[in-house]
C-alpha cells in the first residue's frame, strides 16, 4: 500500500468523514481519476462510528440506519474504487498553490501537490470556555461528543450523575445514552426558549425517559474539588442573562456540554481564505468553491448541518463542481450574483453564484439557510436586486434548529441579476 | 528514610532552590502534595519576567527581581524553556498617569534597569498598532519578557532530578519533628524523612508548614482570574502591556504567552487557599479592563479561563529567612509577584542560608553537575519552512509521526516522552503542561480519550485509574461493555468485566454475587424483570434493553 502513494494528485480531499467519503466516491463517478483522501484518525467515517443510535439515512437512503451503518455505505465502496486513502495522517499546512504538507508514521512529513483541494475537515464542539461557565476546574466536565466517544468507542462511562447543558441533537442523544448506560441524568438545560434539536429527538430521547428539559435555564457555576460535586442552575431572562435569585443547586458528578459546533477551519484560515463569520465556514459560490480557484469545501466544515444526509448531498454538489473544474467545463457568468441573508435569516449558502449552467440535468439550484427565530406559518422568499420576487414557499414552522432549503429554478436568473435576498416572514392570513 | 535536605513545595521557588542545591554533593528530596510539579501558583500566573522598574530596592522582592532578570536568557536556554524578551509598556492615558510613569522611570533609572524610555503616542501606535487610540504615553522597558511559568518550573525540577534530586509527588507534609530546637524529620502522609535542613517553599500553605515548626506566619492568598485566547490572536500585540496603576487598582494587563496565545488578567481578591474558582463578575471585570488597552480584543476567541492564587504575606514582601525557632529550617515564603522572575535569585539567597548550616568542607560541588536539560522535540516549534526537518525524529521513532492533539500538533512520541521524563507526567494535566496536548482550542475534546489510552498503556494501568490531576479526579467511572478488551489489561479489570457481563445476562444472580458496588442498579433491574412494567417509561426501557446495544 505504502509505496502506491504519489506526490501529485488531481484531487486531494482533507478528511474522510461523511463529507470527504461522499465527495471522493461521487467525484470518481464523475470521472475524476486521481483522488487521495487524507484522514487524521485511524478509522474512516469521521464522527459517525461513535453515533450508534439510529435516525441516519432516512432522507438520502430512504431507510433508517445507525451512524456506523451510514458510514459503511460509503466505506465499503472505497476498496473497489480508485480512491486512495491515507489514514492516521495529519495535514499540517496547505499553501494557496495547493501544496499540502502532511504527516504520518510511515511517510513522515511529506509534500503533496493537488490540482484541486476539497476541504472536508468537519467541526469540533464548543467548550466550557466558549460559553464561559465560571467555577472550579475539576474533572467531570466534558463535551457531549467526547462522552459519546468514551462510551461508544472506548467502552467507559465517564459519569454517574449527569447534567446536560444544551438541547441540540447531541445533547439530547447523549442524555438518553447516559441513561441507558445506567447513569442518572438530572436534566437538560437550554438557554433559549426552545430546543434547538430535532423534534423527534426531543420526544425519543427526553420525553420517553422522563428527563426534564428546562428551557430558559443555564449553568452559572461548576463547583467541586477534584471532580464536579455540584452545579448552580439559573433561569435566564429575555436577554439570556441569569435572573438573580433563581439559582438552584444540583448535585452531580458530571457536566456534559452540548453547546454548539464550530467548523474546523484552521487550515482554511492558514490558506488565507475568507470565512463567513456567521457559519464559521468559508465563503463559497454555488460550486462550493472558496475564493481560491480549485479549492472547495463541503460538509460541516462549510456549515453545520442537522442531518448527515444533507452533508452527503452537499458532498455531491462539491464533487460535481470539482469534476467540472478539472475538465475546464465551467463558464463564468458575466456578473456574479451575491446572495444576502434578509429578514429573520441568519445565513444562506452559497454566498454567491458565479457560473452559467446549460446542462439539461442542472435546472435548479438549492439554497441552504437558517432562520434567526422560530416562525410559524412561515413564508420563505427570494427577491432579486430590483425587488422582484423570484420564488416563495410556505412552511408550517421554521426554527433556527432546522436547516431550510429553497429550490431556485435557474431560468429565473437572467444575465443582469446581481443580487438575491432571502427572507422568512409570517405569511399573511388567508393568502394561501 | 533519610536525606540531607527536604524541600517542601514543587512550585517555581522550590524547584529553583532544588536545582541550585543539587549542584552540591547532597541528598535532596522535594515533596509536593499534588500529582505534579507546578500545580499551584506556578501554573496560574501572568508568566512575565519583570524588568524591575517597580522594584523598591529596600525590599527583598525588589532586590531579587533586579538580580534575577538578567539570568533568564541563559537559564531558559539551558533548560529549553520558551522565553522571549518582548519588552513591556506601561500605558498612560492622562496627566496623572504620566506622572506615575515618570516616577517609575526615575526609580528604574536609579536602580539600574537598562533602556527605560518614555515614548509618545506616535511611537506607541507604531509599535502597538492595536492599542487604544486614547493612549498617550508609555514607559518602555526592553528587558521585560515572557516565559512559560509551568514549563520553567517543571524544567527546573527535571534538571534537578537529572542531578540527583528525588521528587516525591502526592506527599503532603503533616508534621515537622524537632528536638530541642533542632530539626529532626519531615513527616508526610506517606513517609517520614529524617534530614538536616528543610526549605519551606509551600506557597499559600507556607504558613501552615511554618506553624508545624513553631513559627508564626500568615499567608493571605489573593486570587487573580485570567482569560487565554486562541493562538490565532497572539500577534495582536508585541509587548507586555500594563495599564498605569492607580492608588486603588493595579489594572488588567494584556500579554502574549510564550507559546503565542494572548493572556489577559488578573484581578486581585482575598481568597481561601483552595479557591481557584473563576467568577462571572471577575471574568467580566478582566475583560473590561483588557479592552481599555486593546479595544478590538476578539471576545469570541477565548479558549480558556482560570484563576491563580498569590501567596502574599502581610508585609507584602518575600520572607526568605532562617526560622527563629528551629535550627535547620528555612522559609522561602510570601512569594507573590514578582516571584516567578525572582526565582533564580531566590534560589541563590536560599543557597547562602543553607551554607550557614553546614561546615564548608561538607558542601562540595559535584563535578558532574549537568547544567542543561536534554532538548525534547516539539512539532509545534516547526513551521511550513522547516517542517521537513521533523523527519529526523520520525526516523528515530515512528511515534513522532502520529499527531494525537490536532489543535496544538502534539505527537504520540512527545506524549510518551512526557510520561518518561525525569519527573514523569502521571496525569492528563501533567501531560498538558509538558507536551501541550489538550492545551488548544478544543481543550482536549478530541485528544483526551487518546491521551487517556496512551497513559494507561505506557504506565500499565487501567484507563479508569487515569486522572486529570491526581486521585479523586478520575476521568472514567466504570466500564460499559467489553468493547476493547486488550491483552495488556490487568487481571483486576478482567474480573470486573466478567462480573459486568454476568450481570447483564443474569441480573438476579449478579445482585447476590456483587452486592456492594452494584447493589442498587442490579436490584432495580431485577425488580423490573420480576414484575410487570407499570409506567410507560419502564415499558420503554424494557423494550430498549431487550433490543440490545445496537438497537438503541
Amino acid at each position: 500500500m505504502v509505496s502506491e502513494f504519489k506526490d501529485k494528485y488531481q484531487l486531494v480531499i482533507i478528511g474522510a468523514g461523511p463529507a470527504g467519503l461522499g465527495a471522493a466516491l461521487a467525484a470518481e463517478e464523475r470521472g475524476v481519476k486521481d483522488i487521495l483522501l487524507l484522514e487524521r484518525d485511524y478509522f474512516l467515517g469521521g464522527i459517525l462510528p461513535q453515533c450508534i443510535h439510529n435516525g441516519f439515512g432516512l432522507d438520502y437512503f430512504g431507510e433508517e440506519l445507525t451512524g456506523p451503518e451510514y458510514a459503511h455505505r460509503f466505506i465499503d465502496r472505497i476498496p473497489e474504487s480508485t480512491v486512495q486513502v491515507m489514514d492516521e495522517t495529519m495535514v499540517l499546512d496547505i499553501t494557496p498553490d495547493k501544496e499540502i504538507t502532511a504527516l504520518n508514521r510511515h511517510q513522515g512529513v511529506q509534500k503533496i501537490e493537488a490540482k484541486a483541494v476539497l476541504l472536508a475537515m468537519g467541526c469540533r464542539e464548543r467548550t466550557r470556555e466558549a460559553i464561559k461557565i465560571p467555577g472550579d476546574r475539576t474533572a467531570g466536565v466534558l463535551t457531549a461528543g467526547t462522552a459519546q466517544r468514551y462510551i461508544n468507542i472506548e467502552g467507559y462511562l465517564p459519569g454517574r450523575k449527569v447534567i446536560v447543558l444544551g438541547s441540540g441533537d447531541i445533547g439530547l442523544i447523549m442524555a438518553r445514552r447516559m441513561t441507558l448506560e445506567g447513569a442518572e441524568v438530572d436534566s437538560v438545560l437550554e438557554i433559549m426558549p426552545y430546543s434547538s434539536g430535532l423534534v423527534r429527538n426531543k420526544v425519543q430521547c427526553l420525553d420517553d425517559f422522563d428527563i426534564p428539559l428546562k428551557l430558559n435555564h443555564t449553568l452559572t457555576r461548576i463547583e467541586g474539588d477534584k471532580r464536579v460535586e455540584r452545579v448552580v442552575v439559573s433561569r435566564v431572562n429575555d436577554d439570556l442573562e441569569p435572573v438573580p435569585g433563581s439559582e438552584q443547586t444540583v448535585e452531580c458528578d458530571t457536566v456534559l456540554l452540548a453547546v454548539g459546533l464550530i467548523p474546523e477551519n484552521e487550515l482554511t484560515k492558514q490558506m488565507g481564505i475568507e470565512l463567513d463569520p456567521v457559519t464559521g465556514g468559508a465563503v463559497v459560490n454555488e460550486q462550493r468553491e472558496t475564493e481560491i480557484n480549485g479549492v472547495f469545501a463541503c460538509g460541516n466544515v462549510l456549515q453545520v448541518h442537522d442531518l448527515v444526509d444533507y452533508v452527503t448531498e452537499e458532498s455531491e454538489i462539491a464533487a460535481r463542481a470539482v469534476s467540472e473544474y478539472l475538465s475546464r467545463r465551467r463558464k463564468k457568468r458575466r456578473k456574479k450574483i451575491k446572495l444576502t441573508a434578509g429578514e429573520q435569516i441568519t445565513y444562506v449558502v452559497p454566498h454567491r453564484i458565479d457560473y452559467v449552467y446549460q446542462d439539461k440535468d442542472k435546472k435548479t439550484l438549492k439554497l441552504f439557510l437558517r432562520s434567526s427565530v422560530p416562525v410559524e406559518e412561515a413564508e420563505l422568499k427570494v427577491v432579486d436586486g430590483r425587488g422582484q420576487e423570484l420564488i416563495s414557499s410556505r412552511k408550517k414552522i421554521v426554527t433556527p434548529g432546522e436547516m431550510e432549503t429553497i429550490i431556485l429554478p435557474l431560468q429565473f436568473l437572467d444575465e443582469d441579476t446581481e443580487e438575491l435576498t432571502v427572507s422568512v416572514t409570517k405569511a399573511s392570513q388567508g393568502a394561501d | 528514610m533519610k536525606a540531607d535536605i527536604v524541600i517542601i513545595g514543587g512550585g517555581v521557588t522550590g524547584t529553583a532552590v532544588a536545582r541550585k542545591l543539587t549542584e552540591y554533593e547532597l541528598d535532596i528530596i522535594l515533596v509536593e502534595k499534588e500529582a505534579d510539579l507546578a500545580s499551584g501558583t506556578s501554573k496560574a500566573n501572568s508568566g512575565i519576567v519583570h524588568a524591575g522598574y517597580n522594584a523598591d530596592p529596600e525590599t527583598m522582592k525588589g532586590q531579587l527581581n533586579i538580580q534575577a532578570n538578567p539570568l533568564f536568557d541563559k537559564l531558559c536556554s539551558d533548560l529549553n524553556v520558551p522565553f522571549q524578551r518582548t519588552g513591556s509598556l506601561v500605558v498612560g492615558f492622562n496627566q496623572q498617569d504620566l506622572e506615575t510613569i515618570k516616577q517609575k522611570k526615575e526609580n528604574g533609572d536609579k536602580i539600574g534597569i537598562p533602556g527605560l524610555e518614555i515614548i509618545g503616542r506616535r511611537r506607541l501606535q507604531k509599535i502597538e498598532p492595536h492599542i487604544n487610540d486614547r493612549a498617550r504615553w508609555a514607559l518602555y522597558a526592553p528587558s521585560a519578557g515572557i516565559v512559560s511559568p509551568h514549563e520553567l518550573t517543571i524544567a527546573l525540577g527535571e534538571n534537578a532530578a537529572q542531578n540527583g534530586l528525588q521528587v516525591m509527588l502526592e506527599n503532603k507534609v503533616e508534621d515537622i519533628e524537632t528536638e530541642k530546637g533542632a530539626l529532626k524529620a519531615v513527616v508526610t502522609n506517606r513517609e517520614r524523612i529524617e534530614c538536616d535542613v528543610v526549605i519551606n517553599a509551600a506557597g499559600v500553605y507556607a504558613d501552615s508548614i511554618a506553624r508545624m515548626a513553631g513559627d508564626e506566619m500568615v499567608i493571605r492568598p489573593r486570587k487573580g482570574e485570567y482569560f487565554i485566547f486562541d493562538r490565532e490572536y497572539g500577534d495582536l500585540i508585541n509587548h507586555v502591556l500594563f495599564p498605569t496603576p492607580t492608588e486603588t487598582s493595579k489594572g488588567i494587563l494584556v500579554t502574549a504567552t510564550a507559546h503565542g496565545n494572548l493572556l489577559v488578567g488578573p484581578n486581585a481578591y482575598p481568597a481561601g487557599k483552595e479557591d481557584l474558582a473563576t467568577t462571572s463578575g471577575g471574568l467580566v471585570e478582566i475583560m473590561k479592563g483588557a479592552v481599555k488597552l486593546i479595544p478590538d480584543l476578539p471576545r469570541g476567541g477565548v479558549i480558556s479561563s482560570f484563576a491563580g492564587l498569590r501567596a502574599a504575606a502581610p508585609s507584602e514582601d518575600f520572607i526568605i529567612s532562617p526560622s527563629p525557632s528551629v535550627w535547620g529550617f528555612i522559609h522561602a515564603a510570601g512569594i507573590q509577584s514578582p516571584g516567578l522572575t525572582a526565582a533564580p535569585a531566590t534560589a541563590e539567597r536560599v543557597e547562602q542560608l543553607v551554607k550557614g548550616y553546614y561546615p564548608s568542607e561538607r558542601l562540595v560541588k559535584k563535578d558532574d553537575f549537568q547544567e542543561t536539560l536534554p532538548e525534547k522535540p516539539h512539532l509545534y516549534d516547526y513551521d511550513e519552512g522547516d517542517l521537513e526537518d521533523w523527519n529526523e525524529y520520525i526516523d528515530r521513532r515512528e511515534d513522532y509521526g502520529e499527531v494525537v492533539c490536532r489543535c496544538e500538533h502534539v505527537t504520540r512520541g512527545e506524549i510518551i516522552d512526557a510520561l518518561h521524563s525525569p519527573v514523569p507526567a502521571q496525569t492528563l494535566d501533567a501531560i498538558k503542561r509538558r507536551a501541550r496536548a489538550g492545551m488548544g482550542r478544543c481543550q482536549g475534546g478530541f485528544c483526551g480519550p487518546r491521551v487517556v489510552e496512551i497513559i494507561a498503556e505506557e504506565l500499565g494501568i487501567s484507563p479508569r485509574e487515569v486522572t486529570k490531576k491526581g486521585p479523586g479526579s478520575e476521568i472514567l467511572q466504570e466500564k460499559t461493555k467489553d468493547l476493547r478488551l486488550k491483552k495488556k489489561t490487568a487481571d483486576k479489570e478482567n474480573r470486573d468485566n466478567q462480573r459486568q457481563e454476568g450481570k447483564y445476562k443474569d441480573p438476579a444472580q449478579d445482585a447476590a454475587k456483587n452486592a456492594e458496588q452494584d447493589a442498587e442498579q442490579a436490584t432495580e433491574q431485577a425488580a423490573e424483570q420480576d414484575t410487570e412494567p407499570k409506567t410507560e417509561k419502564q415499558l420503554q426501557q424494557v423494550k430498549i434493553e431487550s433490543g440490545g446495544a445496537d438497537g438503541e
Side-chain angles (χ1 to χ4, degrees):
Chain A
M1 275 301 280
V2 168
S3 55
E4 285 173 25
F5 293 114
K6 305 177 295 178
D7 53 9
K8 275 185 191 158
Y9 286 87
Q10 291 271 308
L11 170 62
V12 175
I13 301 175
I14 321 291
L21 284 169
L25 293 166
E28 192 203 26
E29 271 176 7
R30 289 193 174 270
V32 179
K33 289 232 167 54
D34 205 17
I35 304 172
L36 177 67
L37 187 52
L38 296 173
E39 167 56 43
R40 57 189 158 198
D41 227 316
Y42 59 85
F43 50 81
L44 306 184
I47 208 72
L48 286 174
Q50 71 178 52
C51 300
I52 64 169
H53 52 282
N54 52 12
F56 301 94
L58 280 169
D59 214 78
Y60 187 77
F61 290 110
E63 57 182 309
E64 195 165 22
L65 304 172
T66 64
E69 285 172 328
Y70 191 98
H72 274 274
R73 291 282 164 111
F74 298 89
I75 296 169
D76 294 349
R77 289 168 55 201
I78 293 283
E80 277 93 59
S81 74
T82 58
V83 176
Q84 282 191 295
V85 178
M86 204 189 272
D87 63 358
E88 286 189 86
T89 301
M90 182 80 191
V91 174
L92 301 173
D93 188 56
I94 311 177
T95 66
D97 299 339
K98 308 185 199 81
E99 188 190 56
I100 296 152
T101 309
L103 167 65
N104 68 24
R105 298 176 75 95
H106 310 296
Q107 283 92 15
V109 177
Q110 62 208 304
K111 307 255 182 195
I112 303 162
E113 279 175 46
K115 285 254 167 59
V117 170
L118 178 62
L119 305 171
M121 290 89 76
C123 58
R124 66 169 178 270
E125 295 175 280
R126 298 216 300 160
T127 65
R128 170 180 182 177
E129 304 308 336
I131 47 171
K132 302 188 181 61
I133 310 170
D136 295 312
R137 314 197 58 77
T138 65
V141 182
L142 64 172
T143 58
T146 305
Q148 191 178 43
R149 173 157 181 155
Y150 277 127
I151 297 176
N152 294 347
I153 304 272
E154 314 289 334
Y156 290 95
L157 189 64
R160 294 194 179 96
K161 184 144 194 231
V162 187
I163 192 159
V164 180
L165 179 62
S167 69
D169 292 314
I170 304 168
L172 300 175
I173 296 282
M174 283 313 294
R176 174 176 67 181
R177 192 79 193 98
M178 296 291 289
T179 308
L180 289 173
E181 284 300 338
E184 186 190 327
V185 177
D186 176 89
S187 53
V188 175
L189 309 178
E190 173 57 60
I191 195 167
M192 303 303 286
Y194 48 86
S195 162
S196 54
L198 301 172
V199 175
R200 68 163 198 242
N201 278 335
K202 197 241 164 204
V203 173
Q204 292 170 5
C205 297
L206 301 191
D207 301 355
D208 288 356
F209 291 86
D210 287 344
I211 300 169
L213 171 63
K214 294 185 180 165
L215 298 174
N216 297 311
H217 278 76
T218 192
L219 268 190
T220 43
R221 200 172 160 81
I222 296 173
E223 292 176 10
D225 176 18
K226 301 281 185 183
R227 190 178 176 91
V228 179
E229 290 163 31
R230 70 199 79 78
V231 296
V232 177
V233 173
S234 301
R235 194 157 44 77
V236 298
N237 62 22
D238 293 346
D239 300 325
L240 308 182
E241 297 290 335
V243 177
S246 70
E247 298 88 357
Q248 278 180 304
T249 302
V250 176
E251 307 275 329
C252 58
D253 62 19
T254 304
V255 176
L256 285 198
L257 300 170
V259 290
L261 300 170
I262 308 170
E264 284 240 286
N265 273 305
E266 276 59 44
L267 287 171
T268 323
K269 285 189 221 172
Q270 274 178 37
M271 292 170 85
I273 289 169
E274 187 193 355
L275 300 187
D276 174 344
V278 179
T279 59
V283 172
V284 291
N285 64 23
E286 80 285 12
Q287 296 237 318
R288 304 300 184 271
E289 187 182 28
T290 67
E291 281 180 309
I292 300 180
N293 241 324
V295 177
F296 300 80
C298 70
N300 281 358
V301 79
L302 180 60
Q303 55 174 332
V304 176
H305 297 70
D306 309 332
L307 296 178
V308 67
D309 307 67
Y310 299 161
V311 169
T312 302
E313 187 181 343
E314 192 167 71
S315 73
E316 290 174 350
I317 298 172
R320 177 193 176 119
V322 168
S323 79
E324 287 171 359
Y325 162 77
L326 288 173
S327 58
R328 300 169 189 276
R329 272 189 279 128
R330 303 189 299 182
K331 188 182 162 209
K332 273 227 155 92
R333 284 178 60 85
R334 201 164 53 78
K335 288 175 178 170
K336 286 180 183 176
I337 302 176
K338 184 174 177 289
L339 279 95
T340 309
E343 202 178 338
Q344 304 193 103
I345 297 285
T346 39
Y347 74 80
V348 189
V349 168
H351 300 82
R352 35 169 230 279
I353 300 171
D354 287 352
Y355 294 94
V356 184
Y357 294 89
Q358 291 140 335
D359 320 11
K360 278 185 191 148
D361 60 335
K362 175 94 183 162
K363 288 186 176 150
T364 58
L365 196 64
K366 214 170 188 180
L367 309 181
F368 296 82
L369 49 117
R370 277 181 201 276
S371 72
S372 55
V373 287
V375 182
E376 284 179 41
E377 301 300 332
E379 183 174 33
L380 295 154
K381 228 187 301 184
V382 181
V383 177
D384 72 9
R386 287 156 294 196
Q388 195 180 337
E389 184 179 311
L390 298 186
I391 191 164
S392 77
S393 64
R394 292 284 180 91
K395 274 213 84 176
K396 214 161 179 56
I397 182 162
V398 301
T399 68
E402 300 207 20
M403 188 188 277
E404 298 295 334
T405 54
I406 299 178
I407 295 174
L408 183 69
L410 285 165
Q411 66 196 53
F412 291 178
L413 304 176
D414 60 42
E415 269 206 313
D416 297 321
T417 313
E418 279 182 276
E419 206 186 322
L420 297 177
T421 303
V422 184
S423 64
V424 59
T425 49
K426 207 171 166 61
S428 44
Q429 288 287 319
D432 204 347
Chain B
M1 61 198 303
K2 273 188 173 171
D4 294 318
I5 299 178
V6 172
I7 299 166
I8 304 174
V12 73
T13 304
T15 54
V17 168
R19 179 178 189 253
K20 191 77 220 164
L21 296 180
T22 49
E23 288 178 14
Y24 297 91
E25 296 283 1
L26 292 167
D27 272 342
I28 308 172
I29 293 177
L30 184 149
V31 292
E32 163 59 48
K33 70 178 166 61
E34 301 297 333
D36 191 17
L37 301 173
S39 290
T41 301
S42 302
K43 76 162 191 290
N45 59 72
S46 309
I48 290 167
V49 175
H50 292 275
Y53 49 77
N54 273 330
D56 174 354
E58 299 296 305
T59 63
M60 177 81 77
K61 62 179 185 182
Q63 291 162 19
L64 295 180
N65 183 350
I66 298 162
Q67 215 179 310
N69 176 296
L71 304 177
F72 268 77
D73 305 85
K74 178 167 172 11
L75 180 69
C76 291
S77 128
D78 282 348
L79 300 180
N80 297 307
V81 172
F83 165 67
Q84 293 124 41
R85 273 195 202 279
T86 54
S88 69
L89 294 165
V90 180
V91 180
F93 290 85
N94 54 40
Q95 208 60 39
Q96 200 187 338
D97 289 352
L98 182 61
E99 288 312 310
T100 313
I101 286 172
K102 279 183 180 163
Q103 278 165 23
K104 280 184 188 295
K105 179 169 186 300
E106 234 167 81
N107 180 56
D109 287 342
K110 202 167 71 197
I111 55 184
I113 309 301
L116 293 178
E117 263 182 276
I118 295 179
I119 62 171
R121 188 174 191 163
R122 236 166 111 185
R123 189 157 154 219
L124 178 58
Q125 288 190 345
K126 202 168 153 198
I127 62 174
E128 282 299 349
H130 292 275
I131 197 92
N132 190 331
D133 281 347
R134 294 187 297 107
R136 292 161 74 185
W137 303 282
L139 174 63
Y140 175 53
S143 63
I146 51 179
V147 70
S148 167
H150 52 272
E151 280 172 83
L152 174 62
T153 305
I154 290 166
L156 285 164
E158 295 202 330
N159 182 223
Q162 229 184 311
N163 286 300
L165 173 75
Q166 191 184 343
V167 176
M168 289 168 48
L169 300 173
E170 291 177 41
N171 267 266
K172 186 180 177 188
V173 173
E174 293 179 337
D175 193 22
I176 305 288
E177 286 180 20
T178 58
E179 201 176 71
K180 295 177 191 150
L183 186 68
K184 253 196 112 196
V186 173
V187 183
T188 75
N189 53 339
R190 298 176 173 204
E191 288 286 350
R192 179 173 177 278
I193 313 160
E194 287 179 26
C195 56
D196 310 324
V197 173
V198 166
I199 290 127
N200 171 16
V204 292
Y205 286 100
D207 53 353
S208 319
I209 301 292
R211 263 178 254 127
M212 288 178 197
D215 283 352
E216 276 310 306
M217 187 190 286
V218 180
I219 300 292
R220 296 203 185 101
R222 268 200 302 265
K223 182 166 84 173
E225 293 164 80
Y226 293 90
F227 277 126
I228 289 201
F229 290 77
D230 197 302
R231 263 188 298 152
E232 201 180 313
Y233 308 109
D235 297 345
L236 213 56
I237 58 168
N238 303 312
H239 305 81
V240 179
L241 302 178
F242 300 96
T244 308
T246 63
E247 291 275 310
T248 52
S249 161
K250 270 178 75 182
I252 305 297
L253 64 88
V254 181
T255 178
T257 69
H259 282 284
N261 298 85
L262 204 62
L263 177 79
V264 306
N267 50 8
Y269 292 101
K273 290 186 196 285
E274 290 292 322
D275 179 4
L276 287 172
T278 51
T279 62
S280 48
L283 296 177
V284 170
E285 178 188 358
I286 54 176
M287 195 59 100
K288 231 166 136 181
V291 172
K292 278 187 197 156
L293 291 173
I294 304 289
D296 45 0
L297 213 53
R299 279 160 222 234
V302 173
I303 60 164
S304 186
S305 59
F306 62 88
L309 296 175
R310 280 147 279 175
S315 63
E316 295 296 335
D317 197 4
F318 297 171
I319 304 166
I320 299 174
S321 60
S323 154
S325 33
V326 178
W327 173 260
F329 200 91
I330 299 168
H331 297 297
I335 311 291
Q336 53 161 294
S337 177
L340 177 67
T341 313
T346 304
E348 288 175 10
R349 185 69 58 110
V350 172
E351 178 193 17
Q352 292 310 312
L353 296 176
V354 168
K355 282 181 176 170
Y357 293 113
Y358 287 102
S360 55
E361 64 271 19
R362 180 74 171 73
L363 291 177
V364 182
K365 288 226 176 181
K366 284 176 189 154
D367 43 23
D368 59 349
F369 179 79
Q370 293 173 357
E371 210 171 31
T372 58
L373 194 61
E375 195 176 350
K376 282 187 205 152
H378 289 298
L379 178 59
Y380 53 70
D381 290 334
Y382 292 72
D383 59 22
E384 306 92 89
D386 57 6
L387 262 171
E388 274 168 305
D389 298 344
W390 184 255
N391 281 331
E392 186 195 321
Y393 295 104
I394 303 172
D395 289 345
R396 268 186 246 167
R397 221 168 71 212
E398 283 188 349
D399 287 331
Y400 289 117
E402 183 184 330
V403 174
V404 173
C405 166
R406 54 173 78 168
C407 302
E408 295 292 304
H409 291 178
V410 182
T411 62
R412 186 186 190 92
E414 292 161 74
I415 291 169
I416 292 175
D417 285 347
L419 287 164
H420 300 291
S421 66
V423 181
Q426 311 270 341
T427 64
L428 273 186
D429 280 358
I431 299 266
K432 184 165 150 180
R433 274 177 227 130
R434 282 168 182 70
R436 291 188 70 74
M439 201 71 121
R441 48 186 75 94
C442 91
Q443 291 283 298
F446 284 118
C447 70
R450 294 185 69 184
V451 176
V452 167
E453 197 179 302
I454 297 170
I455 296 177
E457 268 175 33
E458 288 292 314
L459 303 183
I461 58 174
S462 156
R464 276 188 303 175
E465 295 172 79
V466 176
T467 65
K468 175 172 159 63
K469 49 179 179 181
S473 64
E474 285 74 16
I475 308 293
L476 303 168
Q477 302 287 301
E478 55 194 69
K479 208 140 169 49
T480 56
K481 334 181 162 57
D482 185 13
L483 288 177
R484 297 187 60 172
L485 189 61
K486 288 196 182 130
K487 279 176 237 148
K488 272 189 190 172
T489 322
D491 274 347
K492 187 166 150 278
E493 183 115 348
N494 271 320
R495 282 200 303 277
D496 283 357
N497 290 329
Q498 282 158 10
R499 222 183 289 159
Q500 281 213 352
E501 276 171 15
K503 190 187 75 184
Y504 275 103
K505 281 175 206 147
D506 190 352
Q509 194 191 345
D510 190 70
K513 262 194 230 159
N514 188 19
E516 24 171 315
Q517 206 187 332
D518 298 308
E520 223 182 290
Q521 211 183 337
T523 326
E524 261 180 38
Q525 288 192 5
E528 273 178 19
Q529 297 214 336
D530 290 341
T531 58
E532 283 295 302
K534 289 187 193 79
T535 65
E536 215 171 300
K537 179 188 171 190
Q538 282 172 337
L539 266 172
Q540 273 288 351
Q541 272 182 352
V542 169
K543 202 172 106 196
I544 283 155
E545 274 163 12
S546 59
D550 295 339
E552 183 205 320

